Amino acid sequence: NGAKNWFYVAGISVQPSEIVKLSLLIIVSYYMSRHRMLPWLFFAVSCLGVLMLQKDLGTALMYYGTTLMLFYASSGNLFLTGLGLAGGAGAAVMGYKMFAHVKKRVAIWLNPWSDYENSGFQIVQSLMAIASGGLFGQGAGNGWLKGIGAANTDLVFGVISEELGLILALCCVAAIILLALFAVKEASTARSSFYVIAACATAMIFVVQTMLNVFGSTDLLPLTGVTLPFADNASIPAYAVPAIQALYSEG
């Protein structure tokens, strides 16, 4: 709860950063394809500045990582990419010093059991749920992690692992990575450099978002509140439970 980045319109939750994500991909890709650095750099920095003011550091990390990788892919400039990495590291240190909730998340990342009843509760429950799910899971709808706060956002990978098993959870990740690889492969045949860069940008943001969610749920990175692509709600529909259970019963 270090940041609240959504509001409600007629009972519908709206998160502006998700709309800006698409704008970032299109604008950065457009100006990179025309070798105009200042416009896309100004837009990207402005987005990051607003996210810092919102304390939405998880989305900021995703934006920054995607933009930096895209710059290297389109220019091949290793020196400026290195400067970007150094700048990102400096911004991370600054964010750590400025925001108390970031310090808490890093401390819990290093040792979630140090305060497992309070700050470390989410990640400890996620690790226990992944372990209890094993390779084949407890069965669709039979998990308890979905009742934990923010399970449908921060801990989606943990919920899938518990209910459907680690094998299917890894298959979900593999499907996203394969989709990204397919996008990059198909982009190489495009006639316009804009489409090539835009396809690569979309693939990169899928991969970065997936890494942040999976690594956060397994305590390989601090929790960032970033969801798993195509799975931003961990609740399995009731109508799907019998079909999934039938697949399990058939081996």
Side-chain angles (χ1 to χ4, degrees):
N1 294 317
K4 184 175 181 179
N5 312 303
W6 61 91
F7 57 90
Y8 290 88
V9 177
I12 300 175
S13 176
V14 179
Q15 188 165 345
S17 61
E18 291 300 308
I19 301 173
V20 177
K21 183 193 299 183
L22 297 177
S23 303
L24 181 76
L25 295 178
I26 294 171
I27 291 173
V28 171
S29 300
Y30 176 81
Y31 284 110
M32 280 188 178
S33 67
R34 281 154 178 76
H35 307 289
R36 297 176 61 184
M37 184 174 182
L38 289 180
W40 71 257
L41 183 61
F42 175 78
F43 182 76
V45 170
S46 299
C47 291
L48 291 173
V50 172
L51 290 172
M52 290 292 287
L53 291 175
Q54 289 183 262
K55 303 179 183 179
D56 188 3
L57 303 186
T59 304
L61 178 60
M62 181 170 56
Y63 281 15
Y64 187 81
T66 301
T67 303
L68 188 62
M69 288 190 293
L70 192 59
F71 170 73
Y72 177 71
S74 62
S75 68
N77 193 319
L78 190 59
F79 176 72
L80 290 180
T81 304
L83 286 180
L85 287 173
V93 173
M94 183 176 67
Y96 175 80
K97 293 183 177 180
M98 289 176 57
F99 305 124
H101 74 282
V102 175
K103 292 182 179 180
K104 184 180 295 184
R105 286 193 176 189
V106 172
I108 293 302
W109 167 56
L110 295 174
N111 184 9
W113 298 95
S114 62
D115 190 19
Y116 67 91
E117 292 183 346
N118 296 296
S119 301
F121 184 74
Q122 275 184 305
I123 187 60
V124 167
Q125 296 300 312
S126 177
L127 293 173
M128 292 173 62
I130 293 172
S132 65
L135 292 178
F136 304 104
Q138 300 286 341
N142 293 331
W144 46 264
L145 184 62
K146 61 188 177 185
I148 303 301
N152 65 329
T153 53
D154 298 24
L155 308 176
V156 173
F157 182 78
V159 174
I160 296 174
S161 298
E162 180 193 18
E163 297 194 6
L164 303 181
L166 185 61
I167 293 176
L168 277 180
L170 292 177
C171 285
C172 291
V173 175
I176 295 173
I177 294 175
L178 286 174
L179 178 62
L181 292 175
F182 177 79
V184 173
K185 179 180 179 296
E186 289 300 305
S188 63
T189 63
R191 296 181 179 180
S192 168
S193 59
F194 167 71
Y195 292 120
V196 174
I197 297 175
C200 291
T202 306
M204 287 179 183
I205 208 163
F206 275 148
V207 172
V208 171
Q209 186 170 338
T210 300
M211 290 171 57
L212 290 177
N213 184 270
V214 173
F215 291 168
S217 298
T218 54
D219 199 37
L220 295 176
L221 283 177
L223 278 175
T224 57
V226 174
T227 63
L228 193 67
F230 308 115
D232 59 350
N233 193 323
S235 300
I236 298 175
Y239 63 80
V241 172
I244 297 175
Q245 288 176 336
L247 288 174
Y248 271 86
S249 64
E250 292 174 4

